[in-house]
Amino acid sequence: MINVKDKKFIKAFGKNLKKIRKDVGLSQEDLANDADIPLSQVGRIERGEVNTTISTVYVLATALKINITDLFNFDKNKKGSN
């Protein structure tokens, strides 16, 4: 990762994305197709390997049919994230 200020935040975001994706019953492939982004990108975001863009966050929320703020609502899920 280049110039990442808070790796824990990015990992927690990815962990939350994965939880939400599973909760709505989508595979990574389904989410990638619905969001029109590469499958590999979904995996990198979920693993906290990339600091994703605002536009990608928007298409992910849209594909998941959730409010964009739900993707950042992970304080309650932070337990166990690194």
Side-chain angles (χ1 to χ4, degrees):
M1 286 189 267
I2 300 170
N3 197 22
V4 174
K5 297 192 185 298
D6 193 338
K7 291 180 185 179
K8 285 184 181 181
F9 183 86
I10 293 167
K11 286 192 175 283
F13 178 88
K15 184 176 179 179
N16 191 47
L17 171 62
K18 183 176 182 177
K19 179 190 179 310
I20 292 169
R21 175 182 59 77
K22 287 184 171 189
D23 286 350
V24 300
L26 291 178
S27 67
Q28 284 186 344
E29 185 174 6
D30 292 335
L31 179 56
N33 289 334
D34 292 350
D36 195 27
I37 62 173
L39 172 59
S40 60
Q41 185 71 356
V42 174
R44 287 191 298 268
I45 295 167
E46 287 188 357
R47 290 188 300 274
E49 294 175 355
V50 294
N51 188 2
T52 194
T53 65
I54 292 169
S55 59
T56 299
V57 172
Y58 173 76
V59 296
L60 288 168
T62 301
L64 291 163
K65 297 180 177 112
I66 61 170
N67 191 315
I68 197 167
T69 58
D70 294 338
L71 288 170
F72 294 96
N73 227 358
F74 50 79
D75 287 338
K76 64 182 176 274
N77 300 326
K78 218 170 190 176
K79 185 175 150 187
S81 67
N82 293 326

